Amino acid sequence: MSCKTFLMCFLVSALILKEVNSLQRRCMKCRSRGELGSCGDPFPFNVTDPEAEVGIHVVACPSGWCGKMIEGTTGAFRTDDYGAATQRMCLQRSPSDDEERCAYTMWNHRKVYMCFCNGDLCNSAHRIPTFSMSILITLAITFYSVLWHKH
């Protein structure tokens, strides 16, 4: 197989892999209150084995948008013995502006701190760093162009 053929196959495979990965979006799902709960920050659990901790689940998320909500950081609950409640979830739909962010918002008539993120398991503690597919595709096209013009 020539280098040109190999690079074209690689490029097509990378594009197909990108599409398949974008279909599988998951979010962490849990809820706990105070320091003793397992859902709060820091979130020390490995996203590859979340079922090892009771009450933490990985759920499919068709919208691709995950959320983390913290309630009880303002108002009467702030001094409550129970502490802040943290909930991680899949959102049914994206924010109206499709922007990832954290901000105070109203949820069920209460002021809560909420974060929205788009991506597989993005509402876990840290995103697992991945090599950007767009960079990979750009490099493949560049190498292909260089080899194509070389012969």
Side-chain angles (χ1 to χ4, degrees):
M1 182 183 327
S2 72
C3 283
K4 291 181 219 174
T5 306
F6 175 76
L7 284 173
M8 281 304 288
C9 289
F10 177 77
L11 180 61
V12 170
S13 298
L15 290 172
I16 291 171
L17 181 65
K18 169 99 173 121
E19 290 302 314
V20 169
N21 283 341
S22 68
L23 295 175
Q24 181 183 0
R25 297 291 173 99
R26 302 166 298 165
C27 296
M28 301 303 290
K29 181 180 178 185
C30 58
R31 181 175 170 83
S32 64
R33 183 178 289 280
E35 294 178 14
L36 299 178
S38 56
C39 194
D41 290 321
F43 193 70
F45 305 105
N46 185 346
V47 295
T48 60
D49 189 23
E51 303 300 329
E53 181 68 24
V54 175
I56 296 179
H57 307 283
V58 173
V59 295
C61 189
S63 73
W65 283 86
C66 303
K68 179 175 79 171
M69 179 175 62
I70 303 170
E71 61 179 304
T73 57
T74 62
F77 287 115
R78 185 174 27 185
T79 58
D80 196 331
D81 290 339
Y82 294 112
T86 303
Q87 181 173 347
R88 297 171 195 269
M89 71 206 92
C90 168
L91 302 174
Q92 290 182 352
R93 58 184 169 271
S94 66
S96 58
D97 58 0
D98 283 331
E99 291 291 325
E100 293 183 339
R101 67 179 172 281
C102 292
Y104 282 98
T105 187
M106 294 303 289
W107 181 275
N108 292 332
H109 308 290
R110 284 180 273 176
K111 188 175 182 180
V112 298
Y113 189 71
M114 192 158 195
C115 296
F116 308 106
C117 61
N118 186 8
D120 189 41
L121 297 172
C122 66
N123 67 338
S124 61
H126 301 286
R127 286 190 184 193
I128 299 171
T130 57
F131 192 69
S132 171
M133 189 59 69
S134 59
I135 293 172
L136 187 63
I137 291 170
T138 302
L139 288 173
I141 291 171
T142 303
F143 285 129
Y144 181 77
S145 298
V146 168
L147 290 174
W148 182 267
H149 294 294
K150 199 175 195 180
H151 295 282

